[in-house]
Amino acid sequence: MRRATDIWLASGVRTPFSKVDGALAGLDAIELSVPVARHMVDQLKGGKPDFAVWGAVVPNLTWSNIAREVLMEAGIDATVPAFSTVMACSTSMMGVIEAAGMIDGDSTNLAMVGGVDSLSRIQIGLDQRLSDWLRKFQQARSLGQKIDHLTHLHLRDLKLYIPAISNRTTGLSMGEHTEITAKEWQISRAEQDEIALASHRNAVTAWDRGFFDDLVIRIGDVKRDTIPRKDTTLEKLARLQPSFDRTSGKGSLTAGNSSPLTDGAAGVWVASEKGLGRLPTNTPRVKLVDWEIGAVDFRVEGLLMAPAFAIPRLLARHDLTYGDIHLWEIHEAFAAQVAFHLKALQDATFLRDRAKVPRDFGPFPRERMNPNGGSTALGHPFGATGARIIGQAVKELAAMPTGQRAIVSICADGGQGSVLLLEAA
């Protein structure tokens, strides 16, 4: 046990998710977050959480602590402490883990955790050399000094900085990295398209049967996710051209089997038993049993491979097999990434020599994976994805018999990843 008090996760709410430059393009990260935070706090008995954790992956110079800005903008009690966190796509899951470590069952019992990203509202900056020049120009005390300083400005310095969806160390995008790993693990285009199709079908079915009705709040005229496609088929997916490897003739990642750039915000509750008493009685909740944070050298392993190391270590610590897990929520940054995670998890050599967990976990139950759709279909606003997946997993697992378990897994840029073990109680 990591703690003296049981930790519970309870479903919050999220915005609908929409593709970049789509239905939510007019809202920045704070504007997307405020209605989520306000809705969650409005449901509380007592009016406020003990603290808040919020995160965004895409940087913006207009704030340094988005968590605090969201609470202030939402009109939440200013005495509630709030801090920000970031770990690429694992951002709001890391917020949950951080909050779990702070809940003590005594003075601290309830945390509001979430995340956001607006890929439509990315702030463009100045190149560092131009920024340095402008700062020194402004510091010049006389007209003569300013004129002299003008002679130090060169055309090569007149550049803008546009944040890229790529790894700083390698310069490669997530998709380019995933293409490399997919080739190493011999993941076929057909398998990727099948995972993507299942994601869309499950998401559409979940929306049609009302699964998301109490998890998603309306934002303006947008009532539901705009990305899931009811009309997609394997034939349509097969016609799409590769998106990240267009020259070798062997590219397999497409717009159809990769998560799209997405706008959205999501929140979830972290609580002690005492904290649960401040939530509406019908709020789905499950126990947080344990977690594992993984990191690999992505110059050796695949950039998004860390969960394949973390999952077996977490299961081994609790003497569990794959079949002992009744719900698998695996983040679908790319269908190929899901496929090579599953292949690694069922590879005895990988488990023994690379993950350092020399044991047989049994067959992987694919039919238990992402039953209500995953990121390929629902979308992937980086900072919000963890809270989206956790809230979805909590609702699904809470309806299962006591003692059944879930694994929630998220890969993250930088060769990292995070995994939770949950239990219905």
Side-chain angles (χ1 to χ4, degrees), residues 312 322 344-345 347-353 355-359 361:
Y322 299 142
L345 292 175
D347 185 319
T349 301
F350 173 87
L351 292 172
R352 183 188 68 240
D353 297 342
K356 307 300 182 185
V357 186
R359 59 174 293 179
F361 292 94

Side-chain angles (χ1 to χ4, degrees), residues 54-340:
W54 213 262
V57 176
V58 178
N60 191 294
L61 291 174
T62 61
W63 64 70
S64 61
N65 181 0
I66 189 173
R68 185 63 173 165
E69 300 299 337
V70 168
L71 262 63
M72 297 304 293
E73 192 73 18
I76 295 169
D77 192 320
T79 64
V80 175
F83 65 90
S84 301
T85 193
V86 62
M87 187 178 157
C89 308
S90 285
T91 289
S92 44
M93 182 184 280
M94 283 306 305
V96 164
I97 294 170
E98 290 169 320
M102 295 172 66
I103 298 289
D104 61 14
D106 182 17
S107 61
T108 307
N109 292 287
L110 184 65
M112 182 177 69
V113 180
V116 62
D117 266 302
S118 171
L119 275 296
S120 299
R121 302 292 296 274
I122 293 179
Q123 186 179 48
I124 296 174
L126 302 179
D127 181 82
Q128 186 61 56
R129 287 189 296 186
L130 183 55
S131 295
D132 294 342
W133 182 89
L134 281 171
R135 183 171 61 86
K136 292 176 181 177
F137 182 80
Q138 288 183 318
Q139 291 172 345
R141 296 185 177 182
S142 67
L143 178 61
Q145 288 178 334
K146 288 184 181 294
I147 292 173
D148 179 67
H149 194 60
L150 283 172
T151 63
H152 299 289
L153 180 64
H154 304 286
L155 283 176
R156 67 174 181 272
D157 298 328
L158 299 177
K159 297 178 183 177
L160 295 177
Y161 171 73
I162 304 174
I165 312 299
S166 61
N167 180 271
R168 179 181 178 276
T169 301
T170 65
L172 299 178
S173 71
M174 306 300 104
E176 290 168 327
H177 270 284
T178 304
E179 275 282 14
I180 293 169
T181 312
K183 291 179 175 68
E184 291 174 349
W185 282 90
Q186 299 180 343
I187 304 300
S188 71
R189 165 74 179 271
E191 182 177 3
Q192 295 174 53
D193 287 349
E194 287 169 2
I195 291 171
L197 179 63
S199 186
H200 279 274
R201 285 180 172 172
N202 290 348
V204 169
T205 299
W207 266 109
D208 289 347
R209 64 182 171 83
F211 177 81
F212 290 108
D213 288 355
D214 57 353
L215 295 178
V216 178
I217 60 173
R218 178 174 180 160
I219 302 296
D221 295 329
V222 188
K223 300 179 182 178
R224 59 187 288 170
D225 300 319
T226 65
I227 300 166
R229 296 183 62 99
K230 185 176 292 190
D231 62 346
T232 194
T233 64
L234 287 177
E235 291 73 25
K236 289 181 178 179
L237 289 168
R239 288 198 289 269
L240 297 175
Q241 295 299 309
S243 296
F244 303 102
D245 178 0
R246 302 173 181 174
T247 58
S248 75
K250 298 179 181 179
S252 60
L253 275 69
T254 70
N257 59 37
S258 307
S259 63
L261 298 178
T262 310
D263 300 333
V268 68
W269 293 109
V270 183
S272 66
E273 187 83 39
K274 189 184 294 185
L276 288 179
R278 289 150 65 182
L279 300 176
T281 55
N282 62 346
T283 305
R285 72 281 306 274
V286 300
K287 278 188 179 180
L288 171 58
V289 178
D290 202 355
W291 61 81
E292 181 79 11
I293 303 169
V296 299
D297 185 345
F298 57 87
R299 294 162 297 189
V300 179
E301 300 289 348
L303 184 79
L304 302 182
M305 279 297 292
F309 291 76
I311 289 171
R313 292 170 184 169
L314 180 56
L315 293 180
R317 189 156 63 239
H318 293 269
D319 196 27
L320 297 171
T321 67
Y322 299 142
D324 291 327
I325 305 302
H326 306 88
L327 170 66
W328 291 83
E329 289 284 353
I330 299 179
H331 168 46
E332 300 168 351
F334 305 91
Q337 155 257 312
V338 176
F340 56 65

